[in-house]
Amino acid sequence: GAVVSQHPSRVICKSGTSVKIECRSLDFQATTMFWYRQFPKKSLMLMATSNEGSKATYEQGVEKDKFLINHASLTLSTLTVTSAHPEDSSFYICSAPRQGANQPQHFGDGTRLSIL
Amino acid sequence: GDSVTQMEGPVTLSEEAFLTINCTYTATGYPSLFWYVQYPGEGLQLLLKATKADDKGSNKGFEATYRKETTSFHLEKGSVQVSDSAVYFCALSPFDAGNMLTFGGGTRLMVKP
């Protein structure tokens, strides 16, 4: 079964709305989680690294104020797309590695965000 | 920076055909290499991995060998099935499997009965 749960799976909302996406590790603690964005028929691009108890590390070109990341506990990271616009429509995917050397990452099922 | 290049799709094959999806990478040091699969409407699943040169990852009939001399990690399967239809992503991680991943562009595989 799934070890990383991502919610919601699909969101459709009006322009200007803020949308929160949750990523939970179900049976392990994750001090680090990763947020990716996937454009249609394109690859996944790393947006940011979410660090439990500290600020997220954003990749170049990703707006920190647009994509707010909070990692308040060892099992939960949230991505909030603030004042979303149609160009923010995309597929967002989180991943979390188990702790320990060379542990694989587990991916959530993704969230399809559609901004009208 | 690190990068991964894989063949563009879609790749269309008949059932029981041989599959090769090419993947090459650019990275400093000794990255770990992965193949992920994304079935329609689902998230990514790890298919196989290799963490050092000459390692062969294998799973569900798929194989890939870490070739440092050619910086490649080609995915192969001897006989594909309709259920293998999906998008396949080659990826690397600079340190180990638990770190951020750099993905290739993905290759859509369509297997016809």
Side-chain angles (χ1 to χ4, degrees):
Chain A
V3 295
V4 171
S5 172
Q6 190 172 338
H7 179 79
S9 58
R10 186 174 180 93
V11 180
I12 302 173
C13 57
K14 295 181 179 180
S15 185
T17 306
S18 292
V19 179
K20 180 185 284 187
I21 303 170
E22 294 186 346
C23 182
R24 293 181 184 274
S25 56
L26 298 181
D27 65 353
F28 65 99
Q29 294 180 334
T31 55
T32 300
M33 293 185 178
F34 301 100
W35 287 96
Y36 295 86
R37 182 174 179 176
Q38 185 180 27
F39 293 96
K41 298 185 179 180
K42 298 289 186 182
S43 187
L44 284 80
M45 302 298 295
L46 179 66
M47 298 175 64
T49 303
S50 175
N51 303 299
E52 189 270 334
S54 64
K55 292 183 178 180
T57 305
Y58 289 82
E59 295 300 300
Q60 192 172 11
V62 178
E63 298 178 59
K64 300 179 183 180
D65 296 332
K66 160 67 79 175
F67 300 101
L68 299 179
I69 291 173
N70 184 279
H71 196 148
S73 78
L74 287 170
T75 59
L76 174 65
S77 174
T78 60
L79 167 68
T80 301
V81 184
T82 61
S83 187
H85 292 284
E87 59 266 28
D88 298 324
S89 299
S90 196
F91 194 59
Y92 294 87
I93 304 175
C94 70
S95 73
R98 290 182 184 270
Q99 293 189 42
N102 225 18
Q103 291 297 311
Q105 290 196 40
H106 298 281
F107 284 81
D109 284 343
T111 298
R112 184 162 302 285
L113 176 61
S114 301
I115 307 300
L116 306 178
Chain B
D2 297 345
S3 67
V4 177
T5 302
Q6 62 183 101
M7 60 190 291
E8 290 189 24
V11 173
T12 303
L13 296 173
S14 296
E15 207 164 20
E16 299 184 1
F18 184 85
L19 168 72
T20 299
I21 301 178
N22 290 337
C23 171
T24 57
Y25 68 91
T26 301
T28 55
Y30 302 92
S32 294
L33 302 175
F34 308 86
W35 278 99
Y36 281 85
V37 58
Q38 186 178 32
Y39 297 102
E42 298 183 13
L44 272 72
Q45 301 175 27
L46 177 64
L47 180 60
L48 53 84
K49 68 176 182 180
T51 57
K52 61 182 187 296
D54 299 325
D55 267 3
K56 177 185 283 188
S58 61
N59 186 25
K60 299 180 180 179
F62 291 89
E63 292 183 341
T65 301
Y66 190 144
R67 302 287 189 197
K68 190 165 178 62
E69 64 275 14
T70 54
T71 61
S72 66
F73 193 55
H74 305 321
L75 182 68
E76 297 182 336
K77 185 174 186 181
S79 176
V80 294
Q81 305 300 313
V82 173
S83 57
D84 294 327
S85 298
V87 181
Y88 292 82
F89 292 93
C90 185
L92 71 80
S93 178
F95 306 109
D96 63 38
N99 276 272
M100 64 186 74
L101 293 161
T102 298
F103 287 89
T107 302
R108 182 175 299 278
L109 170 66
M110 295 189 291
V111 180
K112 297 184 176 181

